[in-house]
Structure formats: C-alpha cells, structure tokens
Amino acid sequence: MKVALDAMGGDHAPAVNIGGAIDALRYYPKMQHLYLVGIKSVLEEECRRQGLDLNDPRVSIVDAPEVIGMAEPGAKTVRKKKNSSINIAMDMVKDGRADAFVSAGNTGGAVAAATLKLRTLPGVDRAGIASALPNEYGICHILDAGANPEAKPEHLVAYAVMGTAFARGVLGVKEPKVGLMSNGEEDEKGTTFTKEAFKLLKQTPGINFVGNVEGRDLFESELDVVLCDGFVGNVMLKSIEATAKAVSKWLKTEIKGNPLRIAGAMLAQGAFRALKEKSSYETYGGSPLLGVNGVVIIAHGSSTALAVRNAIRVGLETVETGVNPRIEAALAAIHPSAPVEAATVTV
Amino acid sequence: MKVALDAMGGDHAPAVNIGGAIDALRYYPKMQHLYLVGIKSVLEEECRRQGLDLNDPRVSIVDAPEVIGMAEPGAKTVRKKKNSSINIAMDMVKDGRADAFVSAGNTGGAVAAATLKLRTLPGVDRAGIASALPNEYGICHILDAGANPEAKPEHLVAYAVMGTAFARGVLGVKEPKVGLMSNGEEDEKGTTFTKEAFKLLKQTPGINFVGNVEGRDLFESELDVVLCDGFVGNVMLKSIEATAKAVSKWLKTEIKGNPLRIAGAMLAQGAFRALKEKSSYETYGGSPLLGVNGVVIIAHGSSTALAVRNAIRVGLETVETGVNPRIEAALAAIHPSAPVEAATVTV
C-alpha cells in the first residue's frame, strides 16, 4: 500500500508530519511507499533535521510549491492553488499512484479536493467525516463531523451504511450499533430532519439501527456509529474536546493552589497520563472521509507526530480491509439501480 | 416575592424539593412566600420527615393531585393532566398569586404549560431556555437549551435581546457579549440558518454581538450568551455534561488501579471537590425560560436539594432585577410596532 501524506498540513507542519512519517516507516511494514507531498526544499531540510533518510527506497518527496493555510477558506483555495500539497497528494490517489491520502491540514480544503477529484462512490450523494470518540466499550464514530453541515435525511442513511462498513472493516465490529443523535432517546423526539432520518433508517436493511441517542450515550452506551448532520457533529465534537480540556485545566489550577494537593497529584500522575492517552485524538489519529472514491484520512489540525503516524495507520487499515468496496456493495444492495460495477464487487 | 415550586418535579422528588425549600426559606429572606405544589398527603409526609414546619407563615402546600412523570411526553400530558403540579403552579403565576414558577420536573411539560398559560411577551415569537455553563470568566448562558428545537433566524434575534437582559439583570454584566454557535469562527462559516441569523444579529441594536463562536469559546472566551437553536443547544449541553462526567469517571478508574495513585488522589481530593462545585449545575440551579409573560425557572431533572434551592434563588433574582420588563423595553425599542404598553415600561 502506498500513502500520499500532505506534509505541509496542520498547525505544526512540517515537523509533526516528518516525525509521524519516520515512525510510520518503522512500524508499518505493509506500507510499501510513503510520498511526502509539499515544498521540496522545506521538506528536505526537515527530513535532514529529524534524520529521515531520503535514500530509503520506501520514501520520496513530491514537490508541491503551494500551501493551503489552516485559516484560508478551504473549498475556494483548493480551486485556486492547483499546486498545493492537498491537491497534488489527492491527484496521486485519483490516478492510482497512491492508495490513501492523509492530511492534518485545512479540512475544508481536503474535503473539497476529495469531492472534486475523486468524486463520490455510486449511491453516495455527500461524503461524511467519521470522527472517533473513545467510550467505555471501545470507540464510537461520529458521522458526520463536519463535511456536510446541511445534510438531508437520506444522506444520513448513506452515512449509516458507510459507518457500518468502516466499523466492520477497520474495527472488526460484527454488528455495529448505529444511533441517531437527537434531543432525547424516545422515538418521537427530534426535529423534522431527524424524524425523517429516523423513519428512513428504520427501513434501511443491513444496518443495526438502535434509534435516537443523546449525549450520555456517547460515553455510556455500546454504540459504534452516531449519525448527525455535519453542523451538529462539528459543534458537538468541538464542545466535547473543549470540555475535556477545561476539566483538566481546572483540576490543575485547583491542585496548584495547595502543596498537599501537588504532592497528591504527583502520586496520581500515572492516572492523569492514562486518561490523556485514552481521551486523546492522538491515539486515534485520523478520521476517514467516507463516501469518496478513494481513501482519504483527515487528521486533527493540531496533530502531533503520534497523531500523524496513527492517521497513516488508519489509512492503511481502511485500504487493507476494503472499506470502500464494502460500502459500494452495501449501497448496491440497498439501491439495486446503482451501477452494475458496484453491485458486482465482492467483499 | 412569592414562589410556586413544583414539589413533585424531578428524578428525586419530592425529597430534594422539600430539602431545597427548607434552605431557601432559611437563606432568602426576600422570599415572602413559598408554595409547595403537589400531592398534599405526600408533601405533608415529606415535610414532617425533613422537619419543614408547616406552621411557618411563609410556606404552604397547594394540593395538585396529578403528577407529570419525567418520561411522559410533556406537551401532550400538560393538556391532559389539568390538575398536575406543573399546571397548578403555572396557574398561580398566571393569576398573580406567585411571582415565579420553579420546577425540576418534565421540561417539555413546563415549557408547554408556560407557553399555553402565560403566553409570550410582546415581540417574542418563541420562548427559549438559557442554561448556565461556567467558564474562566464567569458564567456563559446557552440559549436556547431545548425549548425551541427548530428555531428560525429571527428567534435568535429575540434570544440575543433576552439573554442580554438576563445577563444585565441577574448577573450584573454591563455589556453582555453575545456569540452565535457555528462550525467555525470566521464570519462566512455556518449553515443557511446561522448565516441568516448572523446577518440579522449584526443589524440588531442594543446587543453586543461578537460574531460566530465554537466549542472552545464556551470555556476560553469572555462570552455571556451563546445563541443556537434548541436542538443544537440541547445536544451540546448534554454532550458537555456527559464529557465532564466521563473524564471524572475515567480518572477515578485509573486512580483505583494503583495504591500510590489512591494515596495521591486522597491528598488532592480538595481539588476534585472544588472542580465538582465549579462545574456542577447544582451551583447554578435553574435555567430561566425567557420570553414568556412570567418568571419560569427550569431546574435539571436530577437536581439535588442544593440545585432546587439555587433554582429558587435564580427565580427571585429574575423577578427582583426586572428581567421581563427589561426584555419588553428592549424588544419594543427594536420593534416600534409592538404594543404601546410594552414600549412604556421603564427599567
């Protein structure tokens, strides 16, 4: 498997991308080649600094003279900066030179480039980002985390099918439980949008739809996929991240106010470390953009080297377990009118 | 000031309501009378058990033979159970026997009863719940927390005005900062709904609109009011509460796995306690339902006695600082076509 890494993407680029690349080359022998896409001179300098040997036949730099900044309007900039690392790395997936695209860069840019260049899979109207959230039972994916802020009810049906395929493939969950985010667990709760989605999901074959869920279910229930429009998913995930950060910060402030507490916190620090690891996006690394005709992994903008490495891992696993063929087969079974080539894929 | 307390409302009713009543009678001398509304025999028994002296001239029981359960569909049940504690307590506000309604009961029921019986204020189309969230600078209110799941952009304008009046009155903030929850801070971010609301809010006089905000701003920015539709507010608040709970729980699990950590946690336990107090809804107590013609405070379903007591305090402060006259005056200034009696209110 070959990976195209947007080496200029993210708040801490290119350092974390090169750091992540070094570890990925060491730990993932199944990765046959890693393309570092970005400004050649900058990447060469960073590789030298971190000791990434460019004579290694498994790695090479692909020059992309332009960069899409984190704060730029992604979709617009992708159309302007044809030679940006996002566009050039996506082209490599499009023409088969790479099997997966990985970026911690501008999310809007990556989504737009993926949609424009790779197009959606047969039966998929809009792509969605599946973002991992750890819970008591494992990992729950929020879908969509922001690719499609104004989703239609039928988009959520495709998300349910795609999330199920991803959880089966990459996470090995046999019958992934799919919930619909709502303002209460009762069947009749929700808006016109969620009620219509609820009705459609109830009728969708091949998914294990468990009904409406709410905030606490994200952590306390055995759920694999939680569906919502991209606006709600984005707001919810950012609020969750901010809450975890605020709770830790307040606790640290309280602890620092008193020497006994400081001593206590030192004794208990292993617990804080374990919590951070369990709850950090670094551990999960990247969120797949599901529904495009290619493997696209979007990592957190503030990714560390560990997060980039894990995003590469998610990319490899998504390719290896055939998530996209699974999605095509599942959607073809639901929409028999979908193109024949999709229906004949076996998984 | 006189308060009508739905003494049968909440997961732990009537115990927490009577407990909260006892403390409110002790700590809030400005409260001239507290009506305990509910099944008379049940309340008498609970008052006896907790030592609430029913010979106290400041307190009395108002019999309401029916109860609306927490899991019942609120809006429907309010129409059926005419003699429920929610309906009878709301009637007392309607006919002026009480100045404020307080309930930890069925939220949908309380909102429906308030809207049906009290009606909305002139210039208000839909009421909204303002829910308190502690941040580094004080308290930020999320508006709407769930009364109006499918809000229209113009509803958010009224929410901005009402939230400003509440923050000025009850919290004493001179120029409350009002943000619009979106999927990014840039002006152009959002959905059709939030973009239209953004445009209207920019043009609204008398509010300090600071633009789009996102999750982290809830905790790290100096914000007083954050606007969203009731679906997003509800999902967001429940996710935030669940995250804080999950983080604490995981930390405890990690601590229990190791004797040194247990010792450390004991030394640092004051910090955990302080954090719990800072982040708990008990401290804030109740969320005002803004926009109805009367003071209505909605407390968390799992309220403790402390939360009920604080909900009563919020009710008293909302009456005392004239939040509703402030709202009427502010809206009358924006909509000169509103009824004359609203425009002549001075605050």
Side-chain angles (χ1 to χ4, degrees):
Chain A
M1 291 176 287
K2 289 163 278 181
V3 174
L5 174 67
D6 166 20
M8 306 305 287
D11 298 334
H12 313 297
V16 293
N17 295 307
I18 302 305
I22 291 170
D23 283 345
L25 287 163
R26 180 185 304 159
Y27 292 107
Y28 308 137
K30 286 185 176 171
M31 182 171 66
Q32 293 157 318
H33 204 90
L34 179 61
Y35 295 100
L36 306 172
V37 186
I39 299 171
K40 196 160 184 249
S41 58
V42 172
L43 295 184
E44 280 174 346
E45 170 58 25
E46 188 60 31
C47 287
R48 207 173 298 126
R49 202 181 65 80
Q50 295 198 41
L52 194 163
D53 178 12
L54 287 170
N55 291 320
D56 182 338
R58 291 174 63 211
V59 65
S60 53
I61 290 175
V62 176
D63 190 35
E66 289 177 301
V67 176
I68 297 180
M70 295 302 278
E72 290 188 84
K76 272 184 209 164
T77 316
V78 153
R79 285 171 174 86
K80 274 187 224 152
K81 295 185 176 174
K82 302 282 183 203
N83 294 315
S84 60
S85 51
I86 287 180
N87 272 326
I88 288 184
M90 201 66 78
D91 281 332
M92 296 182 74
V93 175
K94 185 186 173 187
D95 62 23
R97 279 175 290 159
D99 303 295
F101 165 99
V102 175
S103 174
N106 189 305
T107 300
V111 172
T115 313
L116 289 168
K117 290 176 189 289
L118 308 181
R119 303 283 167 178
T120 54
L121 289 168
V124 177
D125 196 25
R126 298 294 296 264
I129 298 171
S131 232
L133 206 63
N135 67 22
E136 291 188 29
Y137 303 92
I139 301 172
C140 174
H141 278 83
I142 309 293
L143 207 175
D144 166 37
N148 182 15
E150 294 183 75
K152 294 192 178 123
E154 52 271 29
H155 297 163
L156 265 55
V157 173
Y159 289 168
V161 171
M162 298 195 292
T164 297
F166 181 77
R168 279 207 184 113
V170 171
L171 303 173
V173 184
K174 278 204 172 157
E175 286 304 328
K177 289 196 171 72
V178 179
L180 174 64
M181 183 51 64
S182 191
N183 56 349
E185 287 183 335
E186 301 81 6
D187 284 5
E188 67 277 7
K189 282 286 172 97
T191 58
T192 313
F193 165 74
T194 66
K195 283 175 191 167
E196 178 61 24
F198 186 100
K199 218 168 64 186
L200 295 175
L201 288 162
K202 272 277 181 205
Q203 300 160 359
T204 303
I207 61 165
N208 182 11
F209 178 55
V210 299
N212 285 334
V213 299
E214 45 182 359
R216 64 176 167 209
D217 297 304
L218 296 174
F219 301 102
E220 296 175 10
S221 297
E222 209 179 330
L223 277 172
D224 301 289
V225 179
V226 168
L227 306 171
C228 53
D229 67 54
F231 184 82
V232 166
N234 192 275
V235 165
M236 192 169 66
L237 280 161
K238 283 177 179 166
S239 301
I240 287 171
E241 190 182 338
T243 306
K245 205 173 147 194
V247 169
S248 303
K249 192 175 167 189
W250 288 345
L251 201 53
K252 278 179 197 151
T253 309
E254 289 297 339
I255 284 170
K256 279 186 192 148
N258 174 318
L260 259 190
R261 290 182 189 173
I262 294 175
M266 283 175 67
L267 292 174
Q269 69 180 345
F272 283 91
R273 224 180 300 130
L275 173 72
K276 202 181 161 190
E277 195 176 317
K278 184 174 168 63
S279 63
S280 172
Y281 58 84
E282 287 184 63
T283 315
Y284 308 100
S287 306
L289 176 69
L290 297 175
V292 289
N293 191 12
V295 172
V296 172
I297 308 298
I298 291 170
H300 201 291
S302 53
S303 280
T304 58
L306 177 60
V308 170
R309 168 191 148 182
N310 277 315
I312 293 172
R313 176 184 53 73
V314 174
L316 294 168
E317 289 169 355
T318 305
V319 175
E320 194 180 12
T321 60
V323 169
N324 280 355
R326 282 171 193 262
I327 290 174
E328 289 190 72
L331 286 173
I334 295 177
H335 307 292
S337 59
V340 176
E341 64 270 32
T344 56
V345 170
T346 50
V347 283
Chain B
M1 291 176 289
K2 289 162 279 182
V3 174
L5 174 67
D6 166 20
M8 306 305 286
D11 299 333
H12 313 297
V16 293
N17 295 308
I18 301 306
I22 291 171
D23 283 346
L25 287 162
R26 180 186 303 158
Y27 292 109
Y28 309 137
K30 286 185 178 172
M31 182 171 66
Q32 293 156 320
H33 204 90
L34 179 62
Y35 296 100
L36 306 171
V37 186
I39 299 171
K40 197 162 182 248
S41 57
V42 172
L43 296 184
E44 280 174 348
E45 170 58 26
E46 187 60 31
C47 288
R48 208 172 298 125
R49 202 179 64 80
Q50 294 197 42
L52 193 161
D53 178 11
L54 287 170
N55 290 320
D56 181 338
R58 291 173 65 212
V59 65
S60 52
I61 290 174
V62 176
D63 190 35
E66 290 178 300
V67 176
I68 298 180
M70 296 302 279
E72 290 189 85
K76 274 184 207 163
T77 316
V78 153
R79 284 171 174 86
K80 274 187 223 154
K81 296 186 176 174
K82 303 281 184 204
N83 294 315
S84 60
S85 52
I86 287 179
N87 272 325
I88 290 185
M90 200 66 77
D91 281 332
M92 298 182 72
V93 175
K94 185 187 174 187
D95 62 22
R97 280 175 289 159
D99 303 295
F101 165 99
V102 175
S103 174
N106 189 305
T107 300
V111 171
T115 313
L116 288 168
K117 290 175 188 290
L118 309 180
R119 303 282 166 181
T120 54
L121 290 167
V124 177
D125 197 25
R126 299 293 295 262
I129 298 171
S131 232
L133 204 63
N135 66 23
E136 291 187 29
Y137 303 91
I139 300 173
C140 174
H141 278 82
I142 309 294
L143 209 174
D144 166 39
N148 182 15
E150 295 183 74
K152 295 191 177 124
E154 52 271 29
H155 297 164
L156 265 55
V157 172
Y159 290 167
V161 171
M162 300 195 290
T164 298
F166 181 77
R168 279 207 184 111
V170 171
L171 303 174
V173 183
K174 278 201 171 156
E175 287 303 330
K177 290 196 172 73
V178 179
L180 174 63
M181 184 50 64
S182 192
N183 56 350
E185 287 183 334
E186 301 82 4
D187 284 6
E188 66 278 6
K189 282 286 172 98
T191 58
T192 313
F193 165 75
T194 66
K195 284 175 189 166
E196 179 61 24
F198 186 100
K199 217 167 65 186
L200 296 175
L201 289 162
K202 273 276 181 206
Q203 300 160 359
T204 304
I207 61 164
N208 182 11
F209 178 55
V210 299
N212 285 334
V213 299
E214 43 182 0
R216 64 175 169 210
D217 297 304
L218 297 174
F219 300 101
E220 296 175 11
S221 297
E222 207 178 332
L223 277 173
D224 300 288
V225 180
V226 168
L227 306 171
C228 52
D229 67 54
F231 184 82
V232 167
N234 192 275
V235 165
M236 193 168 66
L237 282 160
K238 283 178 178 165
S239 301
I240 288 170
E241 191 183 337
T243 306
K245 205 173 146 195
V247 168
S248 302
K249 193 175 166 189
W250 288 344
L251 202 52
K252 277 177 198 152
T253 308
E254 289 297 338
I255 283 168
K256 278 185 192 150
N258 174 319
L260 260 188
R261 291 180 188 173
I262 294 175
M266 283 175 69
L267 292 174
Q269 69 180 344
F272 284 92
R273 223 179 302 130
L275 172 72
K276 201 182 162 191
E277 194 175 320
K278 183 174 167 64
S279 63
S280 171
Y281 58 85
E282 288 183 63
T283 315
Y284 309 98
S287 305
L289 176 70
L290 297 175
V292 290
N293 192 12
V295 172
V296 172
I297 309 296
I298 291 169
H300 200 291
S302 53
S303 281
T304 58
L306 176 60
V308 170
R309 167 192 149 181
N310 276 316
I312 292 172
R313 176 184 53 72
V314 173
L316 294 168
E317 288 169 356
T318 305
V319 175
E320 193 180 13
T321 60
V323 169
N324 280 355
R326 283 172 192 260
I327 289 174
E328 290 190 72
L331 285 174
I334 295 177
H335 308 289
S337 58
V340 176
E341 65 269 34
T344 56
V345 170
T346 51
V347 281

